[in-house]
Amino acid sequence: MASTYSFDIVSDFDRQELVNAVDQTVREIKSRFDLKDTKTTVELGEEVITISTDSEFTLDAIHTILQTKSAKRNLSLKIFDYGKIEAASGNRVRQEIKLRKGLSQEIAKQITKLMRDEFKKVQGAIQGDAVRVSAKSKDDLQAVMQRLKEEDYPVALQFNNYR
């Protein structure tokens, strides 16, 4: 039997599910009557989604479609970091949506502080853009998971490497 158990807290998303959600969004834009003639483009880059369309009204509709398709594919809406809406050439608007991945140092410090304050038998260590949590009891680790799920962090949290 292992002397200590551990898991990692990360903020990540399934890239293929995001590709599928963006693809479904583009298909719906092409088929919807109110969006058909807007010449809207949705481009998925490595770390950003770029939307170009003819008005802020259609941009809001595209946000709704993208969020709906992402939620159906079990992607957290917290991965989207909406940039400001820019005016583009030809009376169009453009917006970049950055994709959040990894825990920032501030959030990692908040998580470890919460664990130090509330769980005396649990240790937390920041490792790059993840937090390693270890304890002698699996029950303590599960209590930490439950407590972190109750908090509302600006990023989506996942728990992996549970051993």
Side-chain angles (χ1 to χ4, degrees), residues 17-18 20-21 24 28 64-77 80:
E17 291 295 340
L18 182 65
N20 293 341
Q24 287 180 339
E28 186 165 332
T64 305
I65 295 169
L66 180 63
Q67 291 169 354
T68 304
K69 301 296 181 189
S70 298
K72 283 184 181 176
R73 298 195 154 272
N74 294 329
L75 291 171
S76 173
L77 299 182
F80 299 125

Side-chain angles (χ1 to χ4, degrees), residues 6-13 78 103 107 111-112 114-115 119 122 129-134 138 140-153 155-163:
S6 67
F7 69 90
D8 293 333
I9 303 170
V10 296
S11 178
D12 203 359
F13 58 88
K78 292 180 179 181
L103 294 175
I107 294 173
I111 291 172
T112 54
L114 180 119
M115 288 188 304
F119 301 97
V122 175
D129 61 353
V131 175
R132 168 71 49 96
V133 181
S134 56
K138 286 186 177 182
D140 292 338
L141 292 180
Q142 290 176 343
V144 170
M145 284 184 194
Q146 197 60 40
R147 178 66 178 95
L148 289 173
K149 287 178 184 176
E150 293 170 4
E151 288 290 312
D152 186 29
Y153 291 104
V155 294
L157 297 180
Q158 290 87 31
F159 310 107
N160 59 17
N161 294 337
Y162 184 78
R163 39 178 162 243

